[in-house]
């Protein structure tokens, strides 16, 4: 979420409020760069183009 603050999309105060609300709901923020890393786990029933990433692993069904 720090990218959104740097780009001016979200203010620092809003970022802190969002992170607090998500933490209260037991959500875990995962940096986008981590989701772009290659996924080497089991993925036998998936169909996609290119190498699978953690983003595909967690959000492919959406």
């Amino acid at each position: 979420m720090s990218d959104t603050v740097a780009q001016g999309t979200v203010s620092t105060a809003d970022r802190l409020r969002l992170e607090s609300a998500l933490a209260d709901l037991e959500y875990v923020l995962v940096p986008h760069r981590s989701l772009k890393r290659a996924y080497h786990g089991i993925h036998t029933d998936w169909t996609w183009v290119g190498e699978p990433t953690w983003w595909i692993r967690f959000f492919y069904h959406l």
Side-chain angles (χ1 to χ4, degrees):
M1 228 194 255
S2 59
D3 291 342
T4 58
V5 172
Q7 296 169 357
T9 307
V10 175
S11 71
T12 300
D14 286 343
R15 174 191 172 180
L16 294 174
R17 195 166 49 244
L18 286 166
E19 288 178 349
S20 176
L22 290 171
D24 289 346
L25 295 170
E26 298 183 7
Y27 279 78
V28 176
L29 292 176
V30 178
H32 188 251
R33 67 182 171 276
S34 297
L35 294 173
K36 290 171 46 177
R37 295 181 69 190
Y39 175 74
H40 300 293
I42 298 171
H43 50 76
T44 57
D45 295 334
W46 301 354
T47 303
W48 65 90
V49 175
E51 293 297 317
T53 62
W54 281 96
W55 176 267
I56 291 171
R57 165 63 179 88
F58 286 111
F59 304 110
Y60 179 73
H61 63 283
L62 301 175

